Amino acid sequence: MIPVRGFDGAVVAVLGLGRSGLSAARALRAGGASVLVWDDNPAAREAAEAEGFEARTLTRPGAFDEVACLVTSPGIPHLYPAPNPVIAAALEAGVPVDNDIGLFFRSLGAGWEGYDRPPRVVAITGSNGKSTTSALIHHILTVSGRESQLAGNIGRGVLDIDPPGDGGVVVLELSSYQTELARALTPDVAVFTNLSPDHLDRHGGPGGYFAAKRRLFAEGGPDRAVIGVDEVEGRFLAGQLSEGQADDRVIRVATSKLSGPGWMVFARKGFLSEWRKGRQVGSIDLRAVAGLPGTHNHQNACAAYAACRALALGPREIETALHSFAGLPHRSQRIAEVGGVSYVNDSKATNVDAALKALLAFPKVRWVCGGLMKEGGLDALAPGLAHVSKAYVIGREAEGFALGLPGIETEVCRTMELAVARAAAEAQPGEVVLLAPAAASFDQYDNFEKRGEDFIAQVAKVAGAA
């Protein structure tokens, strides 16, 4: 646990008692704070009370009179589309609002005086690929013999980790919900993978969404910034952080060739290249890395490689670790091969951009797609539709989703069971049955993991019947 500093003897309120909220309450208490808690779920309140926390209705008059800070869980809206009533009451009372990420950064540096090498923090954000990039950085560090902990939006709650040891590295995946509100953001290395429209209602539009991501780089100023520059927002961010073309505090990452005197890592035709000061200093053939298929995963590999190079790892030890990376569940996860047909679970492709990258990774696809559609429509999928032999559409909005896919054959299946069965029956050797929904899962599943698990279960039925 990382005890929270700065609130010894103060009263702090915690809103939301899921994984991050309850761990924040424990860490605040370990740091000497008096902690009040609230969650709309009675069972969550009872669990917290069983640990000795006082539950208080935080919307009642005077609830914030003694409170020094409100700590809120990331899923609770604080601005758009409307503030949660508890957060609105805190703001009205002039009480600062923070989250567990902000508490982590303000509390991490205690007890490092005797270390030869101070611990480092690598923080990763972006629309797509941040989980794979985070896990890949952690994997490379671990295989290379470096102490590493993975936390934040993946792995453990950030305040649940052990205090890092001498030279240890904390790898944090951070969502826009987390970066938007944290009052302290001071990583040593910050990574921006890419940007595509997502969570726009929560951030009041694309500008607010980008601004939430940008805070990771603007609030504290990392020693090194790894920036994906395939989109205009990344190029803009890199330009804002850099003092000139040769400023190697910014490492530019792309899926096409880059040039110039700066530090850059790019993947072209399956080969990763590192250039610095106008000359190539590293190269890896990514085509042989089974756990990272497709251009989008090559971008993730470039970002992870750049972050590890910023931590002084060598190109060859990074390359060795890449080959043992198995990938993450529900992200380009190869499930089975039956009769020459491969089955790939990319349930995490919850938006159009992620699904497009998944389609482009395979030449012939039987595509299982659909779910709760997001703003912006499906037009951006057009470059990948040439790879689709047929789409099998699931979800409550299956008919409407299918209408948004002109020019390809579609079948409205609604359920995962029927979609997988139909795709398996029609797939030819060499094709891939790919779950890449391009939509949220909440119309049929609690989360994208449950959707992916259903796909895996249906593929197991197909494999058992073969």
Side-chain angles (χ1 to χ4, degrees):
M1 178 187 292
I2 306 292
V4 173
R5 310 296 176 184
F7 293 106
D8 188 11
V11 178
V12 179
V14 175
L15 174 63
L17 297 171
R19 184 188 68 164
S20 67
L22 199 53
S23 69
R26 295 174 185 136
L28 281 158
R29 183 167 62 185
S34 176
V35 183
L36 306 173
V37 300
W38 182 256
D39 192 296
D40 291 339
N41 183 347
R45 296 198 302 271
E46 290 172 8
E49 287 176 322
E51 293 192 30
F53 295 107
E54 177 189 347
R56 176 185 292 184
T57 304
L58 295 172
T59 51
R60 72 186 189 191
F64 283 98
D65 286 352
E66 304 170 355
V67 174
C69 181
L70 173 66
V71 177
T72 181
S73 295
I76 300 174
H78 61 271
L79 185 58
Y80 301 115
N84 177 277
V86 172
I87 296 177
L91 296 174
E92 180 70 23
V95 173
V97 180
D98 206 346
N99 61 18
D100 63 329
I101 302 303
L103 298 181
F104 167 82
F105 277 111
R106 71 180 286 165
S107 306
L108 182 63
W112 292 359
E113 295 82 4
Y115 287 176
D116 292 328
R117 299 174 301 160
R120 311 288 294 279
V121 177
V122 181
I124 301 94
T125 195
S127 296
N128 300 310
K130 57 184 179 292
S131 294
T132 296
T133 301
S134 301
L136 184 54
I137 293 169
H138 172 63
H139 174 80
I140 293 168
L141 290 166
T142 302
V143 170
S144 300
R146 297 280 294 272
E147 177 197 315
S148 176
Q149 298 182 78
L150 182 63
N153 206 42
I154 187 175
R156 301 165 69 184
V158 67
L159 293 169
D160 281 336
I161 68 171
D162 301 322
D166 195 323
V169 181
V170 179
V171 182
L172 299 182
E173 179 196 335
L174 299 181
S175 72
S176 57
Y177 294 0
Q178 293 168 313
T179 58
E180 183 178 41
L181 193 60
R183 292 173 64 88
L185 285 168
T186 54
D188 298 282
V189 180
V191 180
F192 176 86
T193 58
N194 50 56
L195 196 80
S196 61
D198 210 356
H199 310 304
L200 299 187
D201 58 336
R202 172 65 181 263
H203 297 295
Y209 179 50
F210 177 54
K213 301 288 189 185
R214 183 183 176 276
R215 289 190 78 249
L216 181 61
F217 303 85
E219 291 301 304
D223 295 336
R224 282 283 194 284
V226 177
I227 308 294
V229 296
D230 284 330
E231 295 88 24
V232 65
E233 292 88 355
R235 294 191 288 274
F236 175 80
L237 181 58
Q240 283 204 313
L241 297 173
S242 175
E243 294 296 331
Q245 288 184 322
D247 186 353
D248 66 2
R249 293 174 303 171
V250 176
I251 308 175
R252 289 171 170 82
V253 168
T255 55
S256 58
K257 186 174 181 179
L258 299 173
S259 61
W263 196 352
M264 57 199 68
V265 180
F266 58 87
R268 184 169 179 266
K269 297 182 178 180
F271 287 87
L272 179 152
S273 297
E274 177 190 4
W275 286 70
R276 195 170 185 183
K277 297 180 180 179
R279 65 185 185 90
Q280 186 171 356
V281 296
S283 178
I284 297 174
D285 184 355
L286 296 175
R287 299 172 302 173
V289 180
L292 295 166
T295 300
H296 61 305
N297 275 314
H298 294 174
Q299 182 190 52
N300 298 335
C302 288
Y305 176 98
C308 290
R309 291 288 285 137
L311 295 171
L313 272 67
R316 296 285 75 83
E317 60 184 330
I318 297 173
E319 180 177 11
T320 298
L322 288 179
H323 284 281
S324 60
F325 181 67
L328 288 177
H330 315 299
R331 298 161 176 88
S332 298
Q333 179 188 14
R334 289 185 176 270
I335 301 303
E337 182 174 327
V338 182
V341 177
S342 297
Y343 293 82
V344 176
N345 167 27
D346 204 343
S347 183
K348 185 62 171 65
T350 59
N351 60 46
V352 167
D353 185 65
L356 172 61
K357 290 174 179 176
L359 291 175
L360 292 174
F362 306 102
K364 294 182 179 180
V365 175
R366 298 278 172 175
W367 182 26
V368 179
C369 57
L372 193 62
M373 293 176 63
K374 296 186 176 181
E375 292 183 21
L378 304 176
D379 291 348
L381 288 165
L385 297 184
H387 293 224
V388 177
S389 300
K390 184 176 176 180
Y392 305 82
V393 188
I394 64 173
R396 296 177 186 173
E397 302 175 349
E399 290 87 351
F401 196 100
L403 289 173
L405 302 173
I408 64 170
E409 184 180 358
T410 62
E411 181 175 339
V412 173
C413 298
R414 295 191 180 85
T415 67
M416 186 71 74
E417 181 178 21
L418 180 58
V420 172
R422 293 290 298 139
E426 296 181 347
Q428 302 297 313
E431 292 186 326
V432 173
V433 175
L434 170 68
L435 171 64
S441 59
F442 305 123
D443 59 332
Q444 291 182 306
Y445 303 93
D446 289 342
N447 49 52
F448 73 84
E449 291 96 341
K450 294 296 185 184
R451 178 171 58 190
E453 290 165 7
D454 192 11
F455 177 77
I456 294 170
Q458 302 309 322
V459 171
K461 289 182 183 180
V462 169

